[in-house]
Amino acid sequence: MCEERSVEESQKCPCDELNLQSHVPVMADEVVDFFSGGLNEGLLVDGTSGAGGHLEMLSRALPGMTFLAIDRDPASITNLRSRFRNNPDVIVRQGSYTEIPEIINELGLGQASAALFDLGLSSIQLDDPLRGFSYRSDGPLDMRFDDSSGSTAAEVLNRRSEKEIADIIYIYGEEGRSRRIAKAIVRNRPVNTTLELVEIINGSVRRNSNKILSRVFQALRIAVNRELDELDRMIDELDSWTVVGARIAFITFHSLEDRRIKLLFRDTPLYQQHSPRWVVPGEDELQRNSRARSARLRMGIRI
Ligand SMILES: C[S@@+](CC[C@H](N)C(=O)[O-])C[C@H]1O[C@@H](n2cnc3c(N)ncnc32)[C@H](O)[C@@H]1O
């Protein structure tokens, strides 16, 4: 299998095929197996708790542990609070995973024995037209995980220069037609809705291509949420809040994030790659959940 995947797959949603209204946790059995091997007490941080699918399975499999559930999205936090209201072992906090050291400190939880990061966005977010993540339904071009701060995707497109927009599309979307698309966006400003953007992109490349749409939408989402900067910051501080021997797992959905995790576990002396180097979903899971197709699970141990 090719080490580097294209970015476009991450727009695929299981809801497209299965018409689900919820998020299906990806490689949940593999994640539970990894954490179950050797852990029976201490703190497990789920830095991207989303709908709480992984968390639910982990809290059942590891009853002696305390779980800290973090998500940047206030709507996810509301759902998590409700889902785990009867589970005193699960503590839920809104925030970025870059804030984990402060949150752990404030709660007096001590260092973590385990951490999970299931990167990207949940199917619930992708499926909600009001969030503006999907090119398949009309809605405001927002795309913020945390809608209480930062610029929306519309603000990015309406305020940044043509060159900046082209760079976003090229670097974060790996889309070769970035300049042509950026020129068309600037010519048609203001751009305020997802379907306005879809029309501009399709017009500029003179065809309807879901691949191009998903690359551009993904690029914008990464830029709006500064996803790669956040990931780099979190990786830099990971050793400060994890114990030696901690089990750490990442699920990535595109090459830009996966490359970072590969280097973390392969080349950083503070971590040891767990074997196998990565895991991909099996055929059964792909039958049930098409979004899992682009997922890769990487596991490492803090040494
Ligand atoms: C793929 S979903 C996680 C799904 C979850 N594992 C489950 O089983 O339901 C990714 C989640 O990460 C959150 N997220 C993205 N960037 C984040 C960040 N910097 N800090 C915390 N959460 C973040 C998103 O809001 C989203 O809910």
Side-chain angles (χ1 to χ4, degrees):
M1 162 160 312
C2 172
E3 268 270 78
E4 312 295 354
R5 288 156 297 153
S6 72
V7 295
E8 69 231 15
E9 295 266 358
S10 71
Q11 273 276 327
K12 291 206 173 96
C13 169
C15 311
D16 295 342
E17 278 86 352
L18 301 176
N19 197 25
L20 294 176
Q21 290 303 313
S22 60
H23 180 89
V24 183
V26 171
M27 286 184 274
D29 291 339
E30 291 85 345
V31 167
V32 170
D33 280 353
F34 172 60
F35 288 118
S36 299
L39 283 178
N40 44 31
E41 56 178 14
L43 174 67
L44 186 152
V45 178
D46 182 348
T48 53
S49 294
H54 286 111
L55 196 60
E56 174 93 51
M57 294 186 71
L58 288 165
S59 63
R60 284 192 194 159
L62 300 164
M65 300 198 69
T66 301
F67 298 87
L68 175 59
I70 308 268
D71 203 285
R72 211 171 162 186
D73 178 359
S76 298
I77 292 296
T78 304
N79 289 335
L80 288 164
R81 290 216 162 101
S82 163
R83 185 166 185 175
F84 294 99
R85 66 186 177 282
N86 296 324
N87 189 338
D89 296 331
V90 177
I91 303 164
V92 179
R93 282 288 180 281
Q94 195 260 330
S96 167
Y97 49 53
T98 56
E99 298 167 85
I100 290 171
E102 292 81 24
I103 296 173
I104 286 183
N105 216 1
E106 185 191 306
L107 294 168
L109 290 171
Q111 289 187 308
S113 312
L116 169 65
F117 301 93
D118 176 15
L119 301 174
L121 80 169
S122 71
S123 300
I124 295 171
Q125 291 164 326
L126 185 61
D127 224 21
D128 181 352
L130 294 177
R131 305 297 298 266
F133 287 115
S134 173
Y135 59 81
R136 293 175 193 271
S137 47
D138 202 12
L141 266 175
D142 190 318
M143 296 199 187
R144 290 169 300 170
F145 286 132
D146 176 0
D147 63 4
S148 68
S149 64
S151 302
T152 64
E155 285 165 344
V156 168
L157 293 181
N158 293 327
R159 291 178 187 168
R160 302 268 186 100
S161 69
E162 186 178 316
K163 178 175 184 315
E164 285 174 314
I165 295 170
D167 285 349
I168 287 172
I169 296 170
Y170 186 71
I171 296 168
Y172 298 145
E174 299 181 324
E175 171 51 57
R177 282 146 285 213
S178 57
R179 288 198 196 158
R180 206 191 305 174
I181 297 168
K183 191 187 263 300
I185 289 171
V186 169
R187 205 172 42 229
N188 287 285
R189 291 202 286 211
V191 189
N192 291 312
T193 69
T194 49
L195 291 193
E196 281 170 16
L197 179 60
V198 166
E199 207 175 302
I200 293 168
I201 297 167
N202 286 343
S204 70
V205 297
R206 296 204 191 88
R207 62 193 160 114
N208 297 357
S209 160
N210 285 352
K211 267 189 185 175
I212 298 173
L213 291 175
S214 58
R215 287 179 188 149
V216 177
F217 271 66
Q218 172 166 299
L220 263 175
R221 192 201 84 213
I222 291 175
V224 163
N225 295 291
R226 299 175 201 275
E227 284 179 45
L228 298 177
D229 292 345
E230 291 275 302
L231 185 57
D232 288 339
R233 270 181 62 197
M234 186 269 285
I235 285 173
D236 272 355
E237 294 202 339
L238 191 53
D239 65 298
S240 73
W241 55 269
T242 47
V243 297
V244 170
R247 292 187 162 237
I248 302 163
F250 286 86
I251 300 172
T252 66
F253 288 86
H254 57 76
S255 56
L256 297 171
E257 45 192 33
D258 190 59
R259 210 175 288 144
R260 286 164 159 80
I261 310 309
K262 179 177 78 179
L263 295 179
L264 174 76
F265 289 150
R266 197 191 63 188
D267 298 345
T268 320
L270 284 168
Y271 303 94
Q272 189 176 56
Q273 218 159 229
H274 185 75
S275 177
R277 279 187 297 153
W278 76 80
V279 179
V280 292
E283 275 307 313
D284 277 6
E285 177 165 2
L286 293 177
Q287 293 285 325
R288 282 180 274 117
N289 182 3
S290 68
R291 184 180 183 240
R293 193 176 302 133
S294 55
R296 182 171 292 178
L297 169 65
R298 286 190 185 268
M299 297 158 285
I301 311 285
R302 163 98 157 79
I303 52 175

